[in-house]
Amino acid sequence: MKEEKIKVLALLPMELPKEIKLDNTLEAMQKFAGGNIECLTFHDSGSEVTLVCNDEGKLLGLSLNRPLWDGADVLAGPGFLSGCDSEGNLTSLPQSAMDFYKEKFRAFIVEI
């Protein structure tokens, strides 16, 4: 059954990662990201985690946020991490992954 609200890890430019609850709707996710969304998968916490972000963040010139994949790419604009079920639906981020990514994404990009 699809969760009405999901607990996610918000990644906002110039802020430390923080746990928030978000309505589990496309509209709420697009509002958070500021436009059309893109979903990217991470596997480095031991569980499948989805990064939801603005699909055109770099093209729109959104503020740089955090390095991804050990600096191979960068997140532009706001994003959040969630879990994912076997059917591809977004779910609350498991606490173990929440703790792992809070530490991993503590460092953010400061634009001068």
Side-chain angles (χ1 to χ4, degrees), residues 22-33 80:
L22 186 66
D23 288 339
N24 195 5
T25 65
L26 176 61
E27 294 79 15
M29 293 173 196
Q30 288 177 326
K31 183 177 179 182
F32 183 92
F80 66 87

Side-chain angles (χ1 to χ4, degrees), residues 7-12 15-21 32 66 79-81 98 102:
K7 188 174 176 184
V8 300
L9 186 64
L11 301 174
L12 299 167
E15 293 184 25
L16 291 173
K18 62 183 170 189
E19 295 179 31
I20 64 167
K21 286 204 172 202
F32 183 92
R66 283 170 171 71
F80 66 87
L81 296 171
M98 187 81 71
K102 267 188 194 175

